[in-house]
Amino acid sequence: MKKLVVHPVQRLQGTLAVPGDKSISHRAVMMASLAYGATRVTHFLPSADCLSTIGIFKSMGVKIRQSGERVTIVGKGLNSLKPPKKALDAGNSGTTARILLGLLAGQPFTSRLTGDKYLKRRPMRRVVKPLAQMGARITGPEDANLLPLKIETRKLKGITYQLPVASAQVKSALLMAGLFAEGETKVVEPIPTRDHTERMFKAFNIPIAQRGDGISVRGPVLPFKGQKIRVPGDISSAAFFIVAGLIVSHSRIVLRNVGLNPTRTGILDVLQSMGAHIDVSHHKVHGGAEPMGDLTVAFSRLKGVEVGGDITPRMIDEFPILAVAATQAYGTTVVRGAAELRVKESDRILMMAVTLKKMGAKIEPTADGWIIQGPSSLKGCRLSSGGDHRVAMSLAVAGLAAHGPTTILDTENINTSFPGFEKLLQKASVP
Ligand code: S3P
């Protein structure tokens, strides 16, 4: 079992670049695999999750060459995927599994989809149910809620579907199925979620309509061509360094080329409302029309805040690291409306409450968030990450601001989203 030992540091400094965005990297490979001709992706995230997506499309006959952050995908069109010889393995990646279900439902062959022990516990029904309404036949354990799932070939028809939970993965799965379905597939969102699939469709010139809270695609879509895609840095990865810079005194760091898609920047808004010094500069828009810019972060005196409502999907993956920031903020932080955290790679509400409490924080879990009193003096100790990459990295950041060394166990999954995390942390640390 891999572990990570973190020592307190004097400060963080320097100019850093975080790896490519995970959500965008997955989508680039998926869409390029359905396109005609070559797509070249730069600053791709070569993490275990994204490599699972590449592996899956390779096993369906797509030519993909990956070397670090550069990927070339040579697609042969929308209907060119070959039946896989064995079960497709999404590893730890919920995004791969859920979006792929939509794509596989539209194929003229039967396939099987599986994942690692963590992914096998995560709910798939949220995707299977609307896909069944489109005509898909998907079967598996617990009424097709859990992997492994079998996806049989059926003709799909477009539907209008109101999402019961705000989920970009479900929205994306339905839009993917919509590429192959007859007629219009429309997804109505209760609260806007990350729109990378919509932007990626546009980057590949696939017509998509966005009216009010509805997003629709009319299938089967016409052939589309390969593109050039530059993936911005992942704001979810940057968030660990942002919070580290804010809570370790005398720190000042610059994070270059971070993705600033407004459906992802909730963490910046919340931290700024807590008093964080974060300057945003050099806004750029690259292929796939994803905005990016540089962030300058300096140690700040933070104050407690109330978080909940429409901002939740805009920072859904950043709640564990927000909890760490809240332990160092003056006053009470209340997080509500984030029950989705219970069905992420681990039960993140529980994991963060148990681990931060062990470090000396005043944190109480609630059904859909936490109540955190700050500031607390944290002490280093031995903690389990529960196999969850974002819990592991959040605890590492807490360890930088703690007294004594912090040992985090079960950290191999950091590699699912942030290869090189430990190295980058060392680079930025002044011991
Ligand atoms: C993702 C959407 C989010 C997020 C996940 C990536 C995506 O999940 O938590 O890490 O790429 O679409 P939900 O859509 O289930 O909230």
Side-chain angles (χ1 to χ4, degrees), residues 166 191-194 263-264 266-267 270 307-319 335-341 368:
I191 310 176
T193 62
R194 64 187 68 189
T263 61
R264 295 284 298 282
I267 185 68
V270 168
V307 190
D310 286 11
I311 201 159
T312 311
R314 290 182 56 227
M315 56 174 292
I316 190 66
D317 293 336
E318 284 65 76
F319 282 100
V335 172
R336 294 193 193 87
E340 270 296 297
L341 297 180
D368 60 351

Side-chain angles (χ1 to χ4, degrees), residues 21-24 26-27 49 94-96 98-99 122 126 165-172 193-194 196-197 236 264 313 316-317 340 343-345 348 389-390:
D21 186 277
K22 180 153 75 72
S23 294
I24 299 172
H26 283 304
R27 285 156 172 85
D49 274 11
T95 307
T96 308
R98 295 203 180 112
I99 302 185
R122 298 184 62 193
R126 51 182 63 197
V165 278
S167 166
Q169 293 176 348
V170 180
K171 170 177 68 177
S172 304
T193 62
R194 64 187 68 189
H196 303 304
T197 300
S236 297
R264 295 284 298 282
I316 190 66
D317 293 336
E340 270 296 297
V343 289
K344 291 293 177 190
E345 284 80 332
R348 289 180 173 163
H389 56 131
R390 297 203 197 280

